[in-house]
Amino acid sequence: MEPSTPFAGALRAQQPGQPGQPGHSGQPGHSGQQHQPHHGQHEQQPHHGHPQQPQQISSSMTNISGNSSGIAYRIDHRDSNTLVVANISSGASLKVRPGAMVAMEGTVQIRGEIKVSFRKLFTGGEMAESIFTGFGEVLLAPDIWGDVIPINIDGQTTWRIGKDAFLACTSEVARKNKSQGIGKGLFSGEGLFVTEVTGHGILFVQSLGAIIKRELRQGEEWVVDNGHLVAWTATYKIERIKGGGLLSRAATDEGLVCRFTGPGTIYIQTRNPENLISWIQAQMPAQSY
């Protein structure tokens, strides 16, 4: 039965073989039902004293589409006004960050769930989410201007995501909070708990600014300024580096960074929320009493 509403058919209106149709994607590393172009990532070789060609960082504003667990999706307007168009099949469901829904067809039902107890606030537990069921289209958007990408959760690799990164996921994807220790909790910018993601399906993550991807080989290291993390599989540790205040707004001559070690994948956002807050506060007129 085909739904009929003001936005019915935003996915169905695409003709087969055109960009935006499930099966065409500009983003690597997602569901096997998508076809993506290569991004020309270069393999670094030992330089023996000669400069190396920089590794190309994967980033694209191409619309992304795919299909997983009964959810056909398309990610549009990736120029900072990103919108996710998800078409739910009968019997499927989509778990969504509360407040992320822009609009939906009348054939879609929504219910809220809060899977947390007072005790789990301190030990780590699941978070609030909205569950969309029925059939038809749902339009989702991130909290602020930025990007959204889908990450394929394959049942083998455990992903970790930043505290504000979750936007939505398909029904077989599981999330739970896990303590990352006092040191990382205080200085990584992610708090005492990070979200671990397992299961099978698609995870949609959001960012402030664009999202870029970096693949690390065994033993390869990459240093990321705290506040820019979106999602990662590689291990990391917090360290202080002499930055003259350039890497941190703290009143100190040291900056706090996350040093990742491969193998693994890292997604980062090009803007830092704390820096944005500081910039907004600096533009506000001083209060007079």
Side-chain angles (χ1 to χ4, degrees):
M1 177 179 176
E2 291 290 330
S4 176
T5 69
F7 7 86
L11 285 176
R12 298 186 294 273
Q14 297 289 341
Q15 295 299 319
Q18 292 183 343
Q21 180 74 8
H24 290 76
S25 171
Q27 186 72 22
H30 309 308
S31 170
Q33 290 136 321
Q34 305 169 24
H35 303 277
Q36 302 101 6
H38 296 290
H39 283 258
Q41 198 166 358
H42 299 287
E43 181 74 17
Q44 295 182 358
Q45 301 294 334
H47 53 80
H48 303 296
H50 299 288
Q52 299 183 58
Q53 178 71 22
Q55 178 177 334
Q56 181 170 330
I57 296 176
S58 183
S59 178
S60 173
M61 288 294 101
T62 305
N63 292 346
I64 303 172
S65 61
N67 195 318
S68 176
S69 304
I71 308 293
Y73 63 86
R74 191 180 70 246
I75 305 177
D76 288 340
H77 308 293
R78 299 186 61 215
D79 58 351
S80 77
N81 298 301
T82 310
L83 181 73
V84 178
V85 182
N87 198 319
I88 302 174
S89 301
S90 181
S93 64
L94 185 66
K95 297 185 281 190
V96 178
R97 182 188 189 97
M101 191 270 288
V102 175
M104 67 181 187
E105 294 194 73
T107 51
V108 176
Q109 291 83 48
I110 179 174
R111 72 177 189 272
E113 292 187 3
I114 301 178
K115 301 178 180 178
V116 66
S117 67
F118 183 78
R119 180 178 64 85
K120 286 187 177 181
L121 288 175
F122 300 96
T123 61
E126 295 189 22
M127 295 68 64
E129 59 189 21
S130 299
I131 311 295
F132 291 78
T133 58
F135 64 93
E137 278 183 359
V138 178
L139 308 184
L140 307 174
D143 293 334
I144 197 169
W145 55 89
D147 199 5
V148 175
I149 62 165
I151 297 176
N152 182 38
I153 307 301
D154 60 9
Q156 300 178 351
T157 304
T158 298
W159 283 84
R160 293 173 175 84
I161 62 175
K163 61 184 179 180
D164 297 316
F166 174 75
L167 179 66
C169 64
T170 53
S171 60
E172 298 302 315
V173 174
R175 298 180 298 136
K176 67 176 181 180
N177 283 340
K178 184 171 182 178
S179 172
Q180 59 171 351
I182 296 296
K184 285 185 177 180
L186 292 177
F187 302 116
S188 68
E190 299 301 329
L192 293 177
F193 300 98
V194 294
T195 302
E196 280 194 353
V197 181
T198 56
H200 293 83
I202 293 293
L203 167 71
F204 298 92
V205 293
Q206 63 179 4
S207 69
L208 176 61
I211 295 177
I212 61 176
K213 177 184 180 182
R214 179 81 175 211
E215 295 280 4
L216 299 183
R217 302 184 304 273
Q218 179 69 44
E220 183 182 3
E221 294 185 343
W222 208 40
V223 178
V224 179
D225 188 16
N226 59 337
H228 287 270
L229 295 177
V230 175
W232 62 94
T233 63
T235 59
Y236 77 91
K237 62 182 180 180
I238 302 295
E239 64 180 45
R240 298 176 183 271
I241 63 173
K242 295 290 184 180
L246 294 177
L247 293 175
S248 175
R249 291 188 178 273
T252 171
D253 63 345
E254 295 179 327
L256 295 171
V257 296
C258 304
R259 181 178 293 273
F260 285 88
T261 303
T265 303
I266 309 169
Y267 286 102
I268 67 172
Q269 57 190 6
T270 59
R271 297 294 181 267
N272 186 320
E274 291 186 1
N275 291 351
L276 174 63
I277 292 171
S278 298
W279 182 87
I280 292 174
Q281 291 174 338
Q283 310 312 308
M284 298 178 67
Q287 294 183 349
S288 58
Y289 298 95

